[in-house]
Amino acid sequence: MKTTITMAGAVLTTLWITGCSSNTKLKTGSDTLTVKVFNLSADTATTNNGIVYDGTLEAEKTIDLSFQVSGTIVSFPFKTGDYVNKGQLVASIDETTYRSQYNAQLAQAKLANENYTRINEVFKKGSVAEIKMLEAKSNYEQATAAAHATYQNIVHTRLYAPVSGYIGNKMAEAGAVAGPGQPVLQLLDTRSVKVLVAVPENEVNRYQAGTPATIKIDALGNQPLQGKVAEVGVTALNGSANYNIKIAIPNTGLKLRPGMLCKVTFAAATKKTNAPAGAKEIIVPVEAVQVDEKGNNFLYIMNAQHKAVRKEVTTGQLYNNGIAIQSGLSGNEQVITSGYQKLADQTPVIVSK
């Protein structure tokens, strides 16, 4: 009797454990998980099809301004970020020394002129040798040339803006001593700007001068701007595997400023993929792709019934904005990018807001 009761207890215990296990599986399968999705739809085809790079705006021209003569800076009326017009005075140095030199040489030139005039009159009367007249004429011309040269030193004590633009940087202030050719001011010509993009070596040959690009600038509300590639770098940056590409865009209204960050999409770039001719390359966020115990790549999509569906995929090239999917997706799915860690095939899901 005791043995029978013991066996019955064991059977009940087993059934209880089995029931609990079954209930647990049922509960897990019926829970709805919150996820985030990435839409591979037609309205995002341009972004998905193009490769998105980070870019930085720079001025069309960056001009370092310097004096041609030395002296103490007495005027520096502008500060960094100010806009100046072409021909506007931006800095000046003390001209006192050069003015004194000019006045002295001007006096010598006047004296030489009077001497030449007097000797020339005597020469015309035949009372003095021609060589004396020529010497007086030479002295006058030399004194005049020296006075003109010194006057140019006075002119060079004033620094004018060669083009309209923004003051980018000031390397000196009023009271400092400026040397000939020593930059004191940086002027940025922003009538048009260029977008500087660093492109990996395995992608740089896809682009050439004239390739169209779409630029979205954070500071302007991501309003898309159109530009074209102006330059493609041929030298790697600082020994890295990246090359500079410059894209020219107009600066209407002068709202674009050097240093602004942006996103660049080369929608017209030619991509090397295994996709059929005419097919668009599908790019998904890297974090969405997982690897199972057999080494197969897979991800989850959300179907029309709001259930997670496991899809095995073949991955391709890795880009700045994601990884290419060569097979396994059609391009119209909603790829689950967050919350997939607890998912199983056919798990009910809801999209977080």
Side-chain angles (χ1 to χ4, degrees), residues 22-216:
S22 177
N23 288 340
T24 301
K25 290 182 180 179
L26 180 60
K27 183 177 181 181
T28 302
S30 62
D31 281 347
T32 299
L33 299 180
T34 301
V35 298
K36 292 182 179 179
V37 298
F38 181 79
N39 293 314
L40 299 177
S41 57
D43 50 21
T44 60
T46 300
T47 303
N48 296 338
N49 189 40
I51 305 175
V52 180
Y53 300 94
D54 293 323
T56 306
L57 268 61
E58 66 174 18
E60 174 69 22
K61 295 178 182 178
T62 300
I63 306 170
D64 289 335
L65 302 183
S66 60
F67 291 101
Q68 297 185 35
V69 295
S70 61
T72 303
I73 300 175
V74 294
S75 175
F76 227 145
F78 296 100
K79 60 182 181 295
T80 300
D82 287 347
Y83 185 82
V84 297
N85 295 310
K86 180 179 179 180
Q88 196 166 0
L89 180 68
V90 293
S92 62
I93 61 178
D94 188 3
E95 65 170 36
T96 303
T97 301
Y98 301 109
R99 179 67 68 178
S100 298
Q101 292 175 356
Y102 171 69
N103 290 335
Q105 291 178 347
L106 186 62
Q108 292 178 0
K110 290 180 179 179
L111 179 60
N113 182 37
E114 292 175 358
N115 186 48
Y116 166 64
T117 301
R118 184 172 59 254
I119 292 177
N120 190 41
E121 291 296 330
V122 176
F123 169 72
K124 290 178 180 179
K125 295 177 181 180
S127 300
V128 68
E130 183 180 6
I131 188 64
K132 292 295 185 179
M133 182 275 295
L134 294 177
E135 286 179 356
K137 181 180 180 182
S138 177
N139 290 336
Y140 163 65
E141 290 175 347
Q142 289 180 26
T144 302
H148 287 167
T150 303
Y151 182 76
Q152 290 303 309
N153 290 338
I154 297 176
V155 173
H156 292 150
T157 60
R158 293 176 176 82
L159 198 58
Y160 298 93
V163 296
S164 298
Y166 288 96
I167 304 296
N169 191 20
K170 293 175 68 174
M171 296 81 157
E173 292 291 346
V177 177
Q182 176 187 352
V184 296
L185 188 67
Q186 188 181 69
L187 186 62
L188 306 178
D189 183 0
T190 58
R191 290 171 295 179
S192 63
V193 296
K194 289 183 179 179
V195 180
L196 191 64
V197 181
V199 176
E201 61 180 359
N202 61 334
E203 299 174 15
V204 67
N205 288 330
R206 301 179 179 189
Y207 312 112
Q208 58 186 353
T211 299
T214 300
I215 300 95
K216 292 184 178 180

Side-chain angles (χ1 to χ4, degrees), residues 262-304:
C262 61
K263 298 291 184 181
V264 180
T265 305
F266 296 99
T270 302
K271 301 177 179 62
K272 298 178 181 179
T273 69
N274 296 328
K280 292 182 178 180
E281 186 175 37
I282 299 172
I283 300 176
V284 302
V286 176
E287 64 270 18
V289 181
Q290 304 177 68
V291 182
D292 63 18
E293 65 278 2
K294 296 181 180 180
N296 298 320
N297 294 317
F298 71 95
L299 50 74
Y300 287 101
I301 66 169
M302 185 180 72
N303 63 13

